[in-house]
């Protein structure tokens, strides 16, 4: 019932928050520039930051893109539906506001039944950024969306907590050299295995950032957050002198830290579980009475790369 209503709202220029396997998205008809403009307004998002278009079947690409490179096709076959966004040369019929006037468009097919059904029922591609105010922690539950922007949108579809928990990996395969624009829920190592070539790291752009993942600060809590090594006892002592109420964000349980001051990302130290729990843990810590969050550094391989990327962007050292 809600799904019918949601599809109706989308078709009539409204905004619907919906679950995907990565994070909740805030969606509208991709061909309705007025509705897209509303998304920018609700999120307080700068216009230079283009949106991802979500599709539920490859046939929808016909209306959106002018060509599909062989490598892009290979990646679609291997990973769609899934946490992978691909860059395409776009058709001129797409409103420029979606793509910030670029001649490319970012597209993905989410791996979530509610998202896929919504797109299919609405019968149009859905433009959707993550459903959070620009720069703040992404939402991985319907409650996160409700708390942050609930009063500004038409409907929230509740699909429970997101399974992957961090945004899609963004790959540009429009040129022979494959580039990653944002670390995300699909490991680069897995992509490299399928494509049999290395992927170039373009996640840091010093000029005009084409992905907010490329901005220095993003996904950030309001509270101060600092990354630390759990065995750096000197540093911890210094912080404990300076702050009254520190909370620790730990990758796995650690007997050297009091349980009641810790958020544990994964009881068994799994990267997949950590990614799924990351944003929820940050939301929880940000609404706690802590005056500082100390987050454990983890090795930057596989999903650890995306997790650390989010944490580095969440890091602010106010008052230090
Ligand atoms: O997992 C996800 O990708 C989630 C869910 C809702 O699908 N969406 C998401 O959207 O993370 P958002 O708006 O928070 O991030 C979209 C990213 C931005 O970094 C944007 O700059 C980049 O996609 N992007 C969009 N179009 C692009 C383009 N033509 N070239 C390069 N980057 C692009
Ligand atoms: Mg976002």
């Amino acid at each position: 019932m809600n799904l019918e209503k949601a599809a109706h709202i989308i078709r009539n220029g409204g905004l619907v928050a919906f679950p995907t396997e990565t994070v909740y998205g805030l969606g509208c008809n991709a061909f309705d520039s007025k509705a897209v403009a509303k998304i920018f307004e609700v999120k307080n998002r700068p216009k230079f930051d283009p949106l991802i278009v979500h599709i539920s079947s490859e046939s929808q690409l016909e209306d959106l893109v002018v060509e599909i490179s062989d490598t892009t096709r290979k990646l679609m076959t291997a990973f769609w539906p899934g946490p992978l966004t691909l860059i395409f040369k776009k058709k001129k019929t797409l409103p420029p506001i979606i793509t910030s006037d670029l001649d490319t468009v970012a597209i993905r097919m989410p791996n979530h039944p509610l998202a896929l059904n919504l797109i299919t029922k609405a019968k149009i591609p859905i433009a959707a950024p993550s459903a959070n105010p620009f720069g703040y922690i992404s939402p991985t539950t319907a409650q996160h969306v409700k708390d942050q922007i609930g009063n500004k949108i038409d409907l929230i579809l509740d699909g429970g907590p997101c399974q992957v928990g961090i945004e899609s990996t963004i790959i540009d395969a429009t040129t022979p050299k494959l580039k990653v624009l944002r670390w995300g829920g699909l490991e680069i190592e897995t992509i490299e295995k399928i494509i049999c070539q290395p992927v170039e790291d373009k996640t840091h752009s010093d000029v005009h950032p084409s992905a907010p993942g490329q901005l220095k600060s993003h996904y950030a809590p309001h509270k101060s957050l600092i990354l630390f090594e759990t065995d750096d006892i000197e540093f911890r002592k210094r912080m404990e002198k300076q702050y009254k109420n520190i909370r620790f964000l730990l990758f796995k349980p650690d007997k050297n830290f009091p349980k009641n001051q810790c958020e544990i990302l994964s009881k068994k130290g799994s990267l997949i579980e950590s990614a799924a729990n990351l944003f929820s843990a940050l939301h929880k810590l940000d609404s706690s009475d802590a005056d500082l969050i100390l987050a454990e550094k983890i090795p930057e391989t596989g999903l650890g790369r995306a997790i650390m990327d989010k944490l580095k962007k969440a890091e602010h050292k106010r008052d230090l």
Side-chain angles (χ1 to χ4, degrees), residues 178-231:
L178 237 71
K179 297 181 281 260
V180 54
L181 304 184
R182 178 175 75 183
W183 306 117
L186 179 65
E187 295 158 328
I188 289 304
E189 290 84 346
T190 315
I191 295 175
E192 287 175 333
K193 241 183 246 161
I194 292 280
I195 299 298
C196 303
Q197 59 159 291
V199 178
E200 200 184 336
D201 178 358
K202 286 279 182 190
T203 57
H204 298 281
S205 149
D206 6 281
V207 216
H208 179 70
S210 58
Q214 294 172 327
L215 292 174
K216 264 193 157 171
S217 170
H218 207 65
Y219 317 108
H222 299 304
K223 291 190 193 300
S224 297
L225 180 148
I226 303 173
L227 281 157
F228 82 122
E229 319 259 2
T230 47
D231 57 2

Side-chain angles (χ1 to χ4, degrees), residues 10-282:
I10 295 276
R11 291 196 65 79
N12 287 283
L15 308 188
V16 174
F18 63 96
T20 79
E21 80 281 34
T22 58
V23 300
Y24 274 71
L26 178 60
C28 75
N29 176 355
F31 287 103
D32 182 341
S33 5
K34 261 198 196 154
V36 178
K38 262 195 262 171
I39 284 189
F40 277 89
E41 204 181 294
V42 166
K43 279 188 59 101
N44 200 10
R45 179 177 176 118
K47 291 285 193 321
F48 66 73
D49 188 5
L51 305 185
I52 295 174
V53 176
H54 296 66
I55 58 174
S56 58
S57 96
E58 285 180 15
S59 62
Q60 289 175 304
L61 286 174
E62 272 171 41
D63 296 332
L64 302 168
V65 312
V66 286
E67 62 181 33
I68 305 175
S69 74
D70 289 347
T71 315
T72 302
R73 205 171 275 288
K74 225 176 180 175
L75 290 169
M76 282 161 48
T77 308
F79 301 113
W80 276 6
L84 173 68
T85 294
L86 292 162
I87 303 294
F88 297 81
K89 295 249 185 303
K90 73 162 193 181
K91 274 210 168 134
K92 293 228 163 36
T93 42
L94 251 184
I97 183 170
I98 288 193
T99 60
S100 307
D101 257 345
L102 296 171
D103 58 3
T104 53
V105 56
I107 302 180
R108 89 176 189 99
M109 191 187 288
N111 190 13
H112 193 292
L114 265 183
L116 292 171
N117 284 336
L118 175 64
I119 303 163
T120 305
K121 278 210 190 306
K123 299 196 182 76
I124 27 182
I126 294 184
S130 49
N132 53 295
F134 183 74
Y136 192 60
I137 309 163
S138 302
T140 51
T141 64
Q143 191 63 45
H144 293 157
V145 181
K146 197 172 171 202
D147 292 345
Q148 295 177 27
I149 54 168
N151 56 346
K152 296 179 181 163
I153 63 180
D154 299 303
L155 186 75
I156 303 172
L157 281 179
D158 191 344
C162 302
Q163 298 285 306
V164 174
I166 50 177
E167 285 87 346
S168 58
T169 302
I170 304 181
I171 295 283
D172 183 349
T174 54
T175 53
K177 234 183 176 179
L178 237 71
K179 297 181 281 260
V180 54
L181 304 184
R182 178 175 75 183
W183 306 117
L186 179 65
E187 295 158 328
I188 289 304
E189 290 84 346
T190 315
I191 295 175
E192 287 175 333
K193 241 183 246 161
I194 292 280
I195 299 298
C196 303
Q197 59 159 291
V199 178
E200 200 184 336
D201 178 358
K202 286 279 182 190
T203 57
H204 298 281
S205 149
D206 6 281
V207 216
H208 179 70
S210 58
Q214 294 172 327
L215 292 174
K216 264 193 157 171
S217 170
H218 207 65
Y219 317 108
H222 299 304
K223 291 190 193 300
S224 297
L225 180 148
I226 303 173
L227 281 157
F228 82 122
E229 319 259 2
T230 47
D231 57 2
D232 189 347
I233 292 162
E234 277 310 304
F235 176 78
R236 183 175 160 191
K237 269 192 191 150
R238 195 148 50 81
M239 290 300 108
E240 281 172 338
K241 253 194 204 149
Q242 220 172 314
Y243 291 86
K244 282 195 190 71
N245 194 0
I246 298 179
R247 294 287 161 88
F248 301 97
L249 177 63
L250 300 182
F251 174 51
K252 56 180 184 309
D254 187 326
K255 58 178 179 0
N256 297 316
F257 292 82
K259 263 193 186 154
N260 60 353
Q261 286 177 35
C262 294
E263 269 307 308
I264 309 293
L265 287 177
S266 168
K267 274 195 182 135
K268 48 183 198 287
S270 135
L271 283 171
I272 294 176
E273 200 179 4
S274 294
N277 290 331
L278 178 67
F279 287 136
S280 267
L282 284 173

